[in-house]
Amino acid sequence: MDDKPSPGAVSESSEHLFSFGVIADIQYANLEDGYNYQGTRRRYYRHSLLHLQGAIEHWNRESSPPCCVLQLGDIIDGYNAQYKASEKSLELVMNVFKRLKVPVHHTWGNHEFYNFSRDYLTNSKLNTKFLEDQIEHHPETVPTGSFYAYHFVPFPKFRFILLDSYDLSVLGVDQSSPKYQQCLKMLKEHNPNMELNSPQGLSEPQFVQFNGGFSQEQLNWLNEVLTFSDTNQEKVVIVSHLPIYPEASDSVCLAWNYRDALAVIWSHECVVCFFAGHTHDGGYSEDPFGVHHINVEGVIETAPDSQAFGTIYVYPDKMMLKGSGRVTDRIMNYRKEKPFPLLV
């Protein structure tokens, strides 16, 4: 399923139930083009805003517009903090998003925390938790911790869940807080390098400072929501900045405790797919339980003559990702039966 289907294999159809958009790693900054940290991939800091504008124009033009857009994190680049341009750059990007005729749900990535504290983000326009849905008589499905996560219903019998993959992190947290000390201890136990962003020599290379993880409290909450969705025969889409499945991602880009998240998801029947960003070059794999893991290609490393966004058309038996530019088309069939693989 890694090959791009033939032209016309994935196309808009009047038969779909609803659709939604995805876009990842915009990382806007008012800077000349640069390169990634390894110096191997070009980054188009200014042009990323034009790509976003193009994506929004596309979604606004659709005859049957998407119900919403999922923004998968890293909306502005960390360089903004160095130039004291974080608020100005965020305002510029958010003004572009205002042109979108449907709601956008924002996920938080490492670059959000390079620019802002968690407290700042909680009180900012990047907090879209006001769009969440409440499940009556099921208080266990209401997130009560300090993590930024929620769920909503875009269409009957479909539930979307946004996760906070920096719930455990040393980024954006007050360094004097117990949470910071706990996360720093966890990171250093797995990463003895002086430079904590370096995976050199690590048996678990995901334990670097630019990644994070899910608290047990958040995983317990996720389990409760998925239990409700199982009982009510809902199809579930999960969204996170960090990916959690090794076959779909560079191992350096995974969430710290990706195995714990997989264990929760794999104990339920309802999850169709897991969307993430962070890797920039994209990725896909269907896991042994039939969950589709899609890492969306990053806008920031997309050349001016290309694009990087996708629209997912939802059908009774499958979801079809129609990619634009370097985002690959995918057909994601719903699972037929539950196998019993070993945890990776």
Side-chain angles (χ1 to χ4, degrees):
M1 190 58 248
D2 284 332
D3 296 331
K4 192 146 183 160
S6 58
V10 178
S11 59
E12 189 177 352
S13 164
S14 59
E15 298 170 14
H16 70 272
L17 302 173
F18 69 100
S19 65
F20 61 96
V22 289
I23 193 164
D25 298 273
I26 299 163
Q27 286 182 225
Y28 169 76
N30 185 19
L31 292 172
E32 297 296 326
D33 294 351
Y35 286 87
N36 64 343
Y37 298 115
Q38 293 77 32
T40 54
R41 299 208 297 250
R42 196 170 183 87
R43 292 187 169 179
Y44 305 90
Y45 294 107
R46 285 199 186 105
H47 203 91
S48 64
L49 204 61
L50 296 178
H51 282 321
L52 174 62
Q53 289 172 358
I56 288 172
E57 287 166 9
H58 172 90
W59 287 318
N60 284 344
R61 278 197 314 267
E62 290 219 40
S63 56
S64 177
C67 68
C68 65
V69 168
L70 307 175
Q71 188 275 113
L72 303 178
D74 285 3
I75 195 168
I76 64 172
D77 196 85
Y79 272 128
N80 286 290
Q82 290 182 30
Y83 295 99
K84 296 186 167 40
S86 299
E87 292 188 350
K88 184 178 179 181
S89 289
L90 179 60
E91 184 179 11
L92 197 60
V93 178
M94 295 304 276
N95 281 339
V96 173
F97 266 113
K98 279 182 184 173
R99 302 175 195 171
L100 185 64
K101 294 176 181 177
V102 300
V104 57
H105 296 263
H106 293 292
T107 308
W108 298 350
N110 46 313
H111 283 262
E112 275 76 15
F113 293 111
Y114 296 154
N115 284 285
F116 306 110
S117 69
R118 180 169 284 270
D119 287 344
Y120 182 98
L121 289 170
T122 300
N123 295 296
S124 77
K125 291 176 181 175
L126 286 177
N127 183 346
T128 45
K129 205 171 176 180
F130 66 92
L131 295 170
E132 72 180 336
D133 282 324
Q134 304 280 348
I135 302 174
E136 277 190 54
H137 312 304
H138 286 273
E140 73 281 2
T141 64
V142 178
T144 56
S146 60
F147 54 88
Y148 170 66
Y150 63 93
H151 55 86
F152 66 99
V153 176
F155 190 88
K157 294 297 181 181
F158 288 86
R159 189 170 302 278
F160 287 15
I161 303 174
L162 271 75
L163 295 183
D164 183 350
S165 52
Y166 288 85
D167 183 11
L168 299 179
S169 172
V170 294
L171 303 177
V173 190
D174 185 341
Q175 295 190 8
S176 65
S177 68
K179 181 84 174 268
Y180 175 87
Q181 298 301 328
Q182 171 205 348
C183 293
L184 184 63
K185 181 172 181 283
M186 183 186 304
L187 179 57
K188 286 187 169 180
E189 281 173 356
H190 293 87
N191 186 341
N193 295 329
M194 285 291 290
E195 171 51 70
L196 290 172
N197 274 322
S198 171
Q200 188 174 351
L202 302 186
S203 59
E204 293 188 283
Q206 77 271 18
F207 278 97
V208 285
Q209 189 168 280
F210 57 77
N211 292 336
F214 310 98
S215 67
Q216 190 58 52
E217 188 178 17
Q218 184 178 181
L219 293 173
N220 291 346
W221 167 79
L222 174 63
N223 187 58
E224 294 289 359
V225 178
L226 295 181
T227 299
F228 177 88
S229 290
D230 277 346
T231 303
N232 289 273
Q233 296 183 299
E234 296 176 337
K235 302 291 186 193
V236 172
V237 171
I238 300 181
V239 180
S240 159
H241 182 65
L242 295 180
I244 62 166
Y245 192 57
E247 299 299 316
S249 170
D250 180 336
S251 59
V252 177
C253 290
L254 293 162
W256 287 352
N257 57 338
Y258 69 87
R259 292 182 186 88
D260 296 338
L262 283 173
V264 173
I265 290 167
W266 287 353
S267 68
H268 296 276
E269 305 267 345
C270 54
V271 181
V272 174
C273 53
F274 189 106
F275 282 96
H278 197 53
T279 62
H280 295 184
D281 51 358
Y284 169 83
S285 185
E286 181 181 350
D287 71 28
F289 281 88
V291 178
H292 302 272
H293 296 263
I294 304 99
N295 295 352
V296 178
E297 289 80 352
V299 170
I300 183 63
E301 290 177 10
T302 301
D305 62 352
S306 187
Q307 247 302 2
F309 67 90
T311 307
I312 294 87
Y313 298 93
V314 180
Y315 296 83
D317 62 336
K318 62 182 172 291
M319 295 186 184
M320 300 174 75
L321 165 58
K322 177 65 177 172
S324 182
R326 66 195 197 100
V327 173
T328 306
D329 291 352
R330 308 281 180 198
I331 297 174
M332 298 167 286
N333 293 308
Y334 302 155
R335 69 176 93 182
K336 301 282 193 296
E337 56 188 63
K338 184 178 176 183
F340 299 93
L342 296 171
L343 196 62
V344 295

